[in-house]
Amino acid sequence: MTSKPEVTKLSDTVSVSPQLELSDVTALAKAGFKSIICNRPDDEAGDHPRSAAVAEAAQQAGLKFAYVPAVSGAITDQDGEKMAGALADLPAPVLAYCRSGARSTKLTEMAQAKTANTSSAAKKFNVVIVGGGSAGIATAASMLKRDRNISLAIIDPADDHYYQPGWTMVGGGAFSPEFTHRKEKDLIPARAQWIKSAVSSFDPENNAVATAVGQEIGYDVLIVCPGIKLDWEAIDGLPETLGKNGVTSNYRFDLAPYTFDLVKHMAGGTALFTQPPMPIKCAGAPQKAMYLSCSKWEKQGVLGNIDVQFHNTGAVLFGIKEYVPALMEYVERYDIHLKLESKLVAVDGPAQIATFEQKHGEEIKRVEIKFDMIHVVPPQVAPDFVRSSPLAAESGFVDVDPATLRHAKYANIFALGDACNAPNAKTMAAVRKQAPVVAVNALAALEGKPAVADYDGYGSCPLTVERGKVVLAEFGYGGKLLPSFPNWLIDGTRPSRLSWLLKDTILPPVYWHGMLKGREWMVKPHRIGAK
């Protein structure tokens, strides 16, 4: 590493330096640093690289980056809090820099003091919710509407919140990315305390969880809903080529716009769409991306020039047979080549070659396919801290009773959403139905009472088969059809313009202004024993 910048080690996890040049970033990566924090405001006088340029250089070097500017001589407590948040979120070791290194040193000291103060003070709440996504906020809002006097905390490190079902529409050119995004702080219910950290472990025997900064949080009732882990690394070569070389995925906010960019500029070649082994969130999403792309190509008059292939690790197109005939009509209309029992295992981005393991009887063959565009859905597993915990079933997901969503062993623990092992489809619609059930059952548990509501496995998958039409799949446990509307209004097994209106216009405001506010429109909890 060069003599400039002069790096000063403050601890095993944090070092500081004077102003970085772009050429320093690669050397920092080689020296073992994992992250960079810029504490110098972009508009500060001086000829120095702007934070965006350093962030880009960091990304190219495989480093994480955070911009936490502070004004020299006017550092505030809020600056220290932001620094503490960045240090908690970023992988260590971290290099923080400013003009001379002095501000970075001061901010690190403030952040470490705040962490020490926080860590030393154990807290306890009536209810602790792990996860501030759709499940966590909806459940918190439902509980606080029923009982304003409970103490409730939501533990989640994220600053941003996303309406993830909208990413399919972003990839299809129907939504803007910004339409799917809000700030987490604006969505946390007013009477809930937000603990902005990640959970590192569970201690159910002592009714406590530990955070990544060492804080112990006690609870009377615990609700676990941190979502699912997208395992991009499980596919060789994928992480380093995402977002370039024609490799995209609607399963990430920053990549969905790239999907539409690829689609609208494609005039011919080979387009691959993949689906990994189950379970995944929104099992119809891999197909939705494909159908919307084909619809665009059809309108542009180039569909006939494109070899569209759907590689599904599973043995069937869709798990509920009643919806397959309508989907097959679109497979035939778009001349899609179905490749069932075909699992993506590697992507060579620069060469634009995808490698699949394909099952032929008892034999598995590796097949390489050249592509111009590939939409990848990664394998998905339970989050690491859940999978390694006492709460996990053999699958790695939280072990719950599928009806009450109460933990199989611990009566004061519940789970919902993508992180639990109930055998329902992992969809946003499932969470809408689960949240009120968990809310009333958790409140009953607070009073030492048995569960009072049950969940029927309801999930919904609005399959966007073309721009303007949706096959509205709604089903519960065992594949039982559970339509929300009379057949004369919406026949869910057939493509419908009204279902598109539901997906495009009605469901987003229902999410932001209904579900996340505890308004249980069409999802009032079903009482156990009621008809």
Side-chain angles (χ1 to χ4, degrees), residues 334-355:
Y334 297 138
D335 194 22
I336 296 167
H337 298 98
L338 285 184
K339 308 289 183 180
L340 301 178
E341 298 184 298
S342 180
K343 177 184 177 182
L344 179 68
V345 294
V347 177
D348 183 337
Q352 292 191 300
I353 293 174
T355 303

Side-chain angles (χ1 to χ4, degrees), residues 399-406 420-424 434 437 454-457 477:
D399 192 7
V400 299
D401 175 85
T404 63
L405 302 176
R406 186 196 294 266
C420 77
N421 74 335
N424 60 282
Q434 290 173 338
V437 171
D454 57 10
Y455 167 61
D456 58 6
Y477 288 140

Side-chain angles (χ1 to χ4, degrees), residues 167-487:
W167 293 350
T168 291
M169 303 291 270
V170 174
F175 287 175
S176 69
E178 294 75 20
F179 184 72
T180 69
H181 172 248
R182 298 285 190 280
K183 284 296 183 182
E184 181 80 355
K185 65 180 177 61
D186 298 328
L187 301 174
I188 299 287
R191 293 188 302 279
Q193 180 169 333
W194 179 21
I195 299 173
K196 191 176 179 294
S197 183
V199 167
S200 59
S201 63
F202 298 94
D203 183 4
E205 300 298 337
N206 293 300
N207 296 326
V209 301
T211 70
V213 296
Q215 186 177 13
E216 183 179 288
I217 310 293
Y219 59 81
D220 296 314
V221 168
L222 176 67
I223 299 171
V224 184
C225 46
I228 201 166
K229 176 183 176 180
L230 304 182
D231 195 4
W232 304 99
E233 291 78 12
I235 299 173
D236 289 343
L238 178 61
E240 53 264 40
T241 193
L242 278 168
K244 56 187 177 181
N245 301 315
V247 183
T248 190
S249 178
N250 289 344
Y251 274 68
R252 252 177 44 184
F253 172 75
D254 60 322
L255 294 178
Y258 183 52
T259 300
F260 187 59
D261 187 60
L262 290 171
V263 170
K264 68 183 179 182
H265 290 109
M266 190 166 182
T270 299
L272 308 180
F273 296 83
T274 75
Q275 180 165 324
M278 298 297 285
I280 63 171
K281 58 179 174 180
C282 194
Q287 292 183 59
K288 297 179 195 181
M290 176 175 65
Y291 297 137
L292 284 178
S293 299
C294 288
S295 181
K296 179 67 173 176
W297 291 326
E298 185 180 63
K299 286 183 172 65
Q300 293 181 165
V302 298
L303 182 59
N305 304 328
I306 300 172
D307 175 17
V308 182
Q309 301 180 22
F310 183 49
H311 291 261
N312 187 351
T313 304
V316 295
L317 179 62
F318 193 72
I320 311 298
K321 67 181 189 308
E322 285 84 354
Y323 302 105
V324 172
L327 299 179
M328 283 303 300
E329 290 176 14
Y330 281 90
V331 168
E332 294 166 6
R333 168 175 159 176
Y334 297 138
D335 194 22
I336 296 167
H337 298 98
L338 285 184
K339 308 289 183 180
L340 301 178
E341 298 184 298
S342 180
K343 177 184 177 182
L344 179 68
V345 294
V347 177
D348 183 337
Q352 292 191 300
I353 293 174
T355 303
F356 295 88
E357 289 183 350
Q358 296 182 342
K359 191 172 181 181
H360 300 275
E362 296 301 315
E363 186 179 4
I364 295 178
K365 294 182 178 179
R366 289 178 73 92
V367 177
E368 292 186 348
I369 301 176
K370 181 82 173 175
F371 64 83
D372 297 279
M373 168 190 169
I374 182 169
H375 179 274
V376 179
V377 178
Q380 294 163 40
V381 295
D384 295 342
F385 72 97
V386 171
R387 199 165 61 248
S388 62
S389 78
L391 307 186
E394 187 175 345
S395 64
F397 294 91
V398 180
D399 192 7
V400 299
D401 175 85
T404 63
L405 302 176
R406 186 196 294 266
H407 193 272
K409 179 179 179 181
Y410 302 103
N412 64 335
I413 297 178
F414 297 83
L416 71 156
D418 297 344
C420 77
N421 74 335
N424 60 282
K426 296 183 184 296
T427 69
M428 184 69 72
V431 172
R432 279 191 68 223
K433 194 73 176 287
Q434 290 173 338
V437 171
V438 171
V440 297
N441 285 345
L443 288 171
L446 273 177
E447 298 178 1
K449 297 177 181 178
V452 296
D454 57 10
Y455 167 61
D456 58 6
Y458 175 83
S460 175
C461 186
L463 292 150
T464 48
V465 289
E466 64 175 290
R467 182 70 177 260
K469 286 190 178 181
V470 160
V471 172
L472 184 60
E474 296 181 282
F475 47 90
Y477 288 140
K480 180 182 178 181
L481 301 194
L482 295 173
S484 298
F485 306 95
N487 201 54

Side-chain angles (χ1 to χ4, degrees), residues 10 14 16 37-40 68-71 74-84 87 96-98 101-114:
L10 301 181
V14 187
V16 299
I37 298 176
C38 173
N39 296 131
R40 189 173 188 182
V68 187
V71 177
I75 296 175
T76 66
D77 285 343
Q78 188 176 18
D79 293 332
E81 290 173 1
K82 290 179 180 178
M83 189 69 171
L87 290 173
Y97 75 91
C98 58
R103 263 171 292 176
S104 295
T105 300
K106 176 65 174 176
L107 287 165
T108 300
E109 291 172 351
M110 292 173 67
Q112 291 174 338
K114 287 180 179 295

Side-chain angles (χ1 to χ4, degrees), residues 157-174:
D159 285 312
D160 301 293
H161 187 106
Y162 300 99
Y163 177 59
Q164 294 184 26
W167 293 350
T168 291
M169 303 291 270
V170 174

